[in-house]
Amino acid sequence: MKEKQTKRALIVVDMLNDFIAPDGALSCGPAGEAIVPACAAHVAAHREAGDTVIYVCDRHRPDDAEFRMFPPHCIAGTPGAEIIAELAPAAGDIVISKRRYSGFFGTGLDLDLRELGITELFLVGVCTNICVQYTAADARNRGYEVHVYRDAVASFDEAAHTMALSQMESVLGCTVE
Ligand code: ZN
């Protein structure tokens, strides 16, 4: 437990080599690379404020059912599944593995947040319209206050990115800032 524990957590979604590296298995392309400095700045600011930093990370099985829809990516134990070096976790950060879009589905994220008394979440990462949006939806369903940093989320699909930001704000009640 940190000395200064707030009720806020920064959630870093899928900033992993396979999604962010140009040669990653399921790269988001230039849009994904472009948000790395903003993500790093938000991580630094939230750490400085004493907020909890949580990484939710795709960690698939080699034969994961998700690969019926997407090319194999982020297979547990491979370099592609690792958090990008620029955003390496620090001592005290929490790293959570997931096998589906939402960081809440089949994971201990909700339990971790409740045990830490966290009620307010800030989201960064990829993809805006997939794992960020479904994590935001599950957070809102559970009653968390959710902020999304517009400068630190991205998608391979610009139109879907824009639509997702709009939906998270108008339908899910997130604050997009
Ligand atoms: Zn996946």
Side-chain angles (χ1 to χ4, degrees):
M1 193 69 70
K2 286 178 220 159
E3 287 175 25
K4 190 169 63 162
Q5 178 69 55
T6 72
K7 295 187 178 304
R8 312 195 316 174
L10 178 70
I11 310 251
V12 181
V13 180
D14 280 342
M15 290 301 283
L16 311 173
N17 290 323
D18 268 350
F19 291 126
I20 302 303
D23 61 350
L26 202 53
S27 176
C28 293
E33 288 180 88
I35 64 167
V36 172
C39 286
H42 290 301
V43 168
H46 279 270
R47 276 203 194 113
E48 178 67 24
D51 298 342
T52 301
V53 177
I54 301 176
Y55 295 80
V56 296
C57 305
D58 250 14
R59 295 263 165 82
H60 289 297
R61 293 178 180 167
D63 61 348
D64 204 297
E66 195 178 282
F67 301 159
R68 290 174 203 150
M69 294 181 61
F70 292 99
H73 60 275
C74 302
I75 294 170
T78 68
E82 295 303 314
I83 296 163
I84 61 169
E86 296 92 327
L87 297 176
D93 292 351
I94 295 171
V95 178
I96 290 177
S97 299
K98 66 181 178 66
R99 291 181 51 217
R100 293 295 181 264
Y101 304 152
S102 169
F104 287 90
F105 190 89
T107 76
L109 177 57
D110 190 55
L111 180 60
D112 280 323
L113 294 171
R114 288 176 193 282
E115 284 183 341
L116 292 167
I118 291 166
T119 57
E120 191 174 1
L121 310 180
F122 296 76
L123 302 185
V124 300
V126 296
C127 294
T128 318
N129 55 306
I130 308 179
C131 293
V132 173
Q133 185 171 6
Y134 287 97
T135 298
D138 276 351
R140 294 293 298 136
N141 286 335
R142 287 166 170 77
Y144 294 99
E145 190 175 329
V146 177
H147 305 255
V148 180
Y149 285 124
R150 183 188 300 275
D151 67 347
V153 292
S155 175
F156 57 92
D157 182 334
E158 177 65 27
H161 163 84
T162 302
M163 179 70 164
L165 286 176
S166 168
Q167 293 281 298
M168 284 191 281
E169 192 165 48
S170 64
V171 178
L172 295 178
C174 301
T175 303
V176 178
E177 56 193 77

